[in-house]
Coordinates of all heavy atoms in Angstrom, one line a residue:
E859 N 207.9 266.2 -44.7 CA 206.6 265.9 -45.1 C 205.9 265.3 -43.9 O 206.2 264.2 -43.5 CB 206.6 265.0 -46.3 CG 207.3 265.5 -47.5 CD 207.7 264.4 -48.5 OE1 207.1 263.3 -48.5 OE2 208.6 264.7 -49.3
Y860 N 204.9 266.0 -43.4 CA 204.2 265.5 -42.2 C 202.8 264.9 -42.5 O 202.2 265.3 -43.4 CB 204.0 266.7 -41.2 CG 205.2 267.2 -40.6 CD1 205.7 268.5 -40.9 CD2 206.0 266.5 -39.7 CE1 206.8 269.0 -40.4 CE2 207.2 267.0 -39.2 CZ 207.6 268.3 -39.5 OH 208.7 268.8 -39.0
Y861 N 202.5 263.9 -41.7 CA 201.2 263.2 -41.9 C 200.5 263.0 -40.5 O 201.2 262.8 -39.5 CB 201.4 261.8 -42.5 CG 202.1 261.9 -43.9 CD1 203.5 261.9 -44.0 CD2 201.4 262.0 -45.1 CE1 204.1 261.9 -45.2 CE2 202.0 262.1 -46.3 CZ 203.4 262.0 -46.3 OH 204.0 262.1 -47.6
P862 N 199.2 263.0 -40.5 CA 198.5 262.6 -39.2 C 198.9 261.2 -38.8 O 199.1 260.3 -39.6 CB 197.0 262.7 -39.5 CG 197.0 263.6 -40.7 CD 198.2 263.3 -41.5
L863 N 199.1 261.0 -37.5 CA 199.6 259.7 -37.0 C 198.5 258.7 -37.0 O 197.3 259.0 -36.6 CB 200.1 259.9 -35.5 CG 201.5 260.6 -35.4 CD1 201.8 260.9 -33.9 CD2 202.6 259.7 -35.9
K864 N 198.8 257.5 -37.4 CA 197.8 256.4 -37.4 C 197.4 256.1 -36.0 O 198.2 256.1 -35.1 CB 198.4 255.2 -38.1 CG 198.4 255.2 -39.6 CD 198.9 254.0 -40.2 CE 198.9 254.1 -41.7 NZ 199.6 253.1 -42.4
G865 N 196.1 255.9 -35.8 CA 195.6 255.6 -34.4 C 195.2 256.8 -33.7 O 194.6 256.7 -32.6
K866 N 195.5 258.0 -34.2 CA 195.1 259.2 -33.5 C 193.9 259.9 -34.2 O 193.6 261.1 -33.9 CB 196.3 260.2 -33.5 CG 197.5 259.7 -32.7 CD 197.3 259.8 -31.2 CE 198.5 259.5 -30.4 NZ 199.2 260.6 -29.9
E867 N 193.3 259.2 -35.2 CA 192.2 259.9 -36.0 C 191.1 260.4 -35.1 O 190.5 261.5 -35.3 CB 191.6 258.9 -37.0 CG 192.6 258.4 -38.1 CD 193.5 257.2 -37.6 OE1 193.3 256.8 -36.5 OE2 194.3 256.8 -38.4
E868 N 190.7 259.6 -34.1 CA 189.6 259.9 -33.2 C 189.9 261.2 -32.4 O 189.0 262.1 -32.2 CB 189.3 258.7 -32.2 CG 187.9 258.8 -31.7 CD 187.6 257.6 -30.8 OE1 187.8 256.4 -31.3 OE2 187.1 257.8 -29.7
I869 N 191.1 261.3 -31.8 CA 191.5 262.4 -31.0 C 191.5 263.7 -31.9 O 191.0 264.7 -31.5 CB 192.9 262.2 -30.4 CG1 192.9 261.1 -29.4 CG2 193.4 263.5 -29.7 CD1 194.3 260.7 -28.9
I870 N 192.1 263.5 -33.2 CA 192.1 264.7 -34.1 C 190.7 265.2 -34.4 O 190.4 266.4 -34.3 CB 192.9 264.3 -35.4 CG1 194.4 264.0 -35.1 CG2 192.8 265.4 -36.4 CD1 195.2 263.4 -36.2
S871 N 189.8 264.2 -34.7 CA 188.4 264.6 -35.0 C 187.8 265.3 -33.9 O 187.1 266.3 -34.0 CB 187.7 263.3 -35.4 OG 186.3 263.5 -35.5
E872 N 188.0 264.8 -32.7 CA 187.3 265.3 -31.5 C 187.8 266.8 -31.2 O 187.1 267.7 -30.9 CB 187.7 264.4 -30.3 CG 186.8 264.7 -29.1 CD 187.2 263.8 -27.9 OE1 187.3 262.6 -28.1 OE2 187.4 264.4 -26.8
L873 N 189.2 267.0 -31.4 CA 189.7 268.3 -31.2 C 189.3 269.3 -32.2 O 189.0 270.5 -32.0 CB 191.3 268.2 -31.1 CG 191.9 267.5 -29.9 CD1 193.4 267.4 -30.1 CD2 191.6 268.3 -28.6
Q874 N 189.2 268.8 -33.5 CA 188.7 269.7 -34.6 C 187.2 270.1 -34.3 O 186.9 271.3 -34.5 CB 188.8 268.9 -35.9 CG 190.2 268.8 -36.5 CD 190.3 267.9 -37.7 OE1 189.5 267.0 -37.9 NE2 191.4 268.1 -38.4
K875 N 186.4 269.2 -33.8 CA 185.0 269.5 -33.5 C 184.9 270.6 -32.4 O 184.2 271.5 -32.5 CB 184.3 268.2 -33.1 CG 182.8 268.3 -33.3 CD 182.1 266.9 -33.0 CE 182.5 265.8 -33.9 NZ 181.9 264.5 -33.5
A876 N 185.8 270.3 -31.3 CA 185.8 271.2 -30.2 C 186.3 272.6 -30.6 O 185.7 273.7 -30.2 CB 186.6 270.7 -29.1
A877 N 187.3 272.7 -31.5 CA 187.9 273.9 -31.9 C 186.9 274.7 -32.7 O 186.9 276.0 -32.7 CB 189.2 273.7 -32.7
K878 N 186.1 274.0 -33.5 CA 185.1 274.7 -34.4 C 184.1 275.5 -33.6 O 183.6 276.5 -34.0 CB 184.4 273.6 -35.2 CG 183.8 274.0 -36.6 CD 183.3 272.8 -37.3 CE 182.7 273.3 -38.6 NZ 182.2 272.1 -39.4
H879 N 183.7 275.0 -32.4 CA 182.7 275.6 -31.6 C 183.3 276.5 -30.5 O 182.6 277.0 -29.7 CB 181.8 274.5 -30.9 CG 181.0 273.7 -31.9 ND1 181.4 272.5 -32.3 CD2 179.9 274.0 -32.7 CE1 180.6 272.0 -33.2 NE2 179.7 273.0 -33.5
A880 N 184.6 276.7 -30.5 CA 185.2 277.6 -29.5 C 185.5 278.9 -30.1 O 185.9 279.1 -31.2 CB 186.5 276.9 -29.0
D881 N 185.4 280.0 -29.2 CA 185.7 281.3 -29.6 C 187.3 281.5 -29.7 O 187.8 282.1 -30.5 CB 185.2 282.3 -28.6 CG 183.7 282.5 -28.7 OD1 183.1 282.0 -29.7 OD2 183.1 283.1 -27.8
R882 N 187.9 280.8 -28.7 CA 189.4 280.9 -28.6 C 189.9 279.5 -28.4 O 189.4 278.8 -27.6 CB 189.8 281.8 -27.5 CG 189.8 283.3 -27.8 CD 190.5 284.1 -26.7 NE 190.8 285.4 -27.2 CZ 191.6 286.3 -26.6 NH1 192.3 285.8 -25.5 NH2 191.8 287.5 -27.0
V883 N 191.0 279.2 -29.0 CA 191.7 277.9 -28.7 C 193.1 278.2 -28.2 O 193.9 278.9 -28.8 CB 191.9 277.0 -30.0 CG1 192.6 275.8 -29.7 CG2 190.5 276.8 -30.6
Y884 N 193.3 277.8 -26.9 CA 194.6 278.0 -26.3 C 195.5 276.8 -26.4 O 195.0 275.7 -26.0 CB 194.5 278.4 -24.8 CG 193.8 279.7 -24.5 CD1 192.4 279.8 -24.4 CD2 194.5 280.9 -24.4 CE1 191.7 281.0 -24.2 CE2 193.9 282.1 -24.2 CZ 192.5 282.1 -24.0 OH 191.9 283.3 -23.8
L885 N 196.7 276.9 -27.0 CA 197.6 275.8 -27.1 C 198.5 275.8 -25.9 O 199.4 276.6 -25.8 CB 198.3 275.9 -28.5 CG 197.4 276.0 -29.7 CD1 198.2 276.4 -30.9 CD2 196.6 274.7 -29.9
A886 N 198.3 274.8 -25.0 CA 199.0 274.9 -23.7 C 199.8 273.6 -23.5 O 199.9 273.0 -22.4 CB 198.0 275.0 -22.6
T887 N 200.5 273.2 -24.6 CA 201.4 272.0 -24.5 C 202.7 272.4 -23.7 O 202.9 273.5 -23.3 CB 201.8 271.5 -25.9 OG1 202.2 272.6 -26.7 CG2 200.6 270.9 -26.6
D888 N 203.5 271.4 -23.4 CA 204.7 271.6 -22.5 C 205.6 272.7 -22.9 O 205.7 273.0 -24.1 CB 205.5 270.3 -22.4 CG 204.9 269.3 -21.5 OD1 203.8 269.6 -20.9 OD2 205.4 268.1 -21.4
P889 N 206.2 273.4 -21.9 CA 207.0 274.6 -22.2 C 208.4 274.3 -22.7 O 209.4 274.8 -22.2 CB 207.0 275.3 -20.9 CG 207.0 274.2 -19.9 CD 206.1 273.2 -20.5
D890 N 208.6 273.4 -23.8 CA 209.9 273.2 -24.3 C 209.8 273.1 -25.8 O 208.7 273.3 -26.4 CB 210.5 271.9 -23.7 CG 209.6 270.7 -23.9 OD1 208.6 270.7 -24.7 OD2 209.9 269.6 -23.3
R891 N 210.9 272.7 -26.5 CA 210.8 272.7 -28.0 C 209.8 271.7 -28.5 O 209.1 272.0 -29.5 CB 212.2 272.3 -28.5 CG 213.3 273.3 -28.4 CD 214.6 272.9 -28.9 NE 215.1 271.7 -28.3 CZ 216.3 271.1 -28.5 NH1 217.1 271.7 -29.3 NH2 216.6 270.0 -27.9
E892 N 209.8 270.5 -27.8 CA 208.8 269.5 -28.3 C 207.4 270.0 -28.1 O 206.5 269.8 -29.0 CB 209.1 268.2 -27.4 CG 208.7 266.9 -28.1 CD 209.6 266.6 -29.2 OE1 210.8 266.9 -29.2 OE2 209.1 265.9 -30.2
G893 N 207.1 270.6 -27.0 CA 205.8 271.2 -26.7 C 205.4 272.2 -27.7 O 204.3 272.3 -28.2
E894 N 206.4 273.1 -28.1 CA 206.1 274.2 -29.1 C 205.8 273.5 -30.4 O 204.9 274.0 -31.1 CB 207.4 275.0 -29.2 CG 207.1 276.4 -29.7 CD 206.4 277.3 -28.6 OE1 206.5 277.0 -27.4 OE2 205.8 278.3 -29.0
A895 N 206.5 272.5 -30.8 CA 206.2 271.8 -32.1 C 204.9 271.1 -32.1 O 204.1 271.2 -33.1 CB 207.3 270.7 -32.3
I896 N 204.5 270.5 -30.9 CA 203.1 269.9 -30.9 C 202.1 271.0 -31.1 O 201.1 270.8 -31.8 CB 202.9 269.2 -29.5 CG1 203.9 267.9 -29.5 CG2 201.5 268.7 -29.3 CD1 203.9 267.2 -28.1
S897 N 202.2 272.2 -30.5 CA 201.3 273.3 -30.6 C 201.2 273.7 -32.1 O 200.2 274.0 -32.6 CB 201.7 274.5 -29.7 OG 201.3 274.2 -28.4
W898 N 202.4 273.8 -32.7 CA 202.5 274.2 -34.1 C 201.7 273.2 -35.0 O 201.0 273.6 -35.9 CB 204.0 274.2 -34.5 CG 204.3 274.7 -35.9 CD1 204.2 275.9 -36.4 CD2 204.8 273.8 -37.0 NE1 204.6 275.9 -37.8 CE2 204.9 274.6 -38.1 CE3 205.1 272.5 -37.1 CZ2 205.4 274.2 -39.3 CZ3 205.5 272.0 -38.3 CH2 205.7 272.8 -39.4
H899 N 201.9 271.9 -34.8 CA 201.2 270.9 -35.5 C 199.7 271.0 -35.3 O 198.8 270.8 -36.2 CB 201.7 269.5 -35.2 CG 203.0 269.1 -35.7 ND1 203.3 269.2 -37.1 CD2 204.2 268.8 -35.1 CE1 204.6 268.8 -37.3 NE2 205.1 268.6 -36.1
L900 N 199.3 271.2 -34.0 CA 197.9 271.4 -33.7 C 197.3 272.6 -34.4 O 196.1 272.5 -34.9 CB 197.7 271.6 -32.2 CG 197.8 270.4 -31.3 CD1 197.9 270.8 -29.8 CD2 196.5 269.5 -31.4
K901 N 198.0 273.7 -34.5 CA 197.6 274.9 -35.2 C 197.2 274.5 -36.7 O 196.2 275.0 -37.2 CB 198.7 275.9 -35.2 CG 198.4 277.2 -35.9 CD 199.6 278.1 -35.8 CE 199.4 279.5 -36.5 NZ 199.3 279.4 -37.9
Y902 N 198.1 273.7 -37.3 CA 197.8 273.3 -38.7 C 196.6 272.3 -38.8 O 195.7 272.5 -39.6 CB 199.1 272.5 -39.2 CG 198.9 271.9 -40.6 CD1 199.1 272.7 -41.7 CD2 198.4 270.6 -40.7 CE1 198.9 272.2 -43.0 CE2 198.2 270.1 -42.0 CZ 198.5 270.8 -43.1 OH 198.3 270.3 -44.4

């Protein structure tokens, strides 16, 4: 059961706003398992 991290509300809101106005969103986090998971959470 995943939840948004406390203290990251502003970053999440800013990224959501930017994604809304973008034609394409490229998820370019680090090239390992951890980076892949961060991209997966961002997608959600």
Side-chain angles (χ1 to χ4, degrees):
E859 299 161 21
Y860 294 112
Y861 302 89
L863 286 169
K864 280 183 182 166
K866 296 285 186 102
E867 297 84 0
E868 202 176 310
I869 296 172
I870 293 169
S871 168
E872 196 183 309
L873 291 175
Q874 285 171 336
K875 205 177 292 178
K878 206 172 178 181
H879 295 102
D881 286 349
R882 278 190 169 196
V883 180
Y884 293 90
L885 303 171
T887 49
D888 282 355
D890 57 11
R891 290 181 302 186
E892 208 69 31
E894 205 72 20
I896 292 172
S897 283
W898 181 74
H899 287 301
L900 280 166
K901 177 181 182 294
Y902 174 87

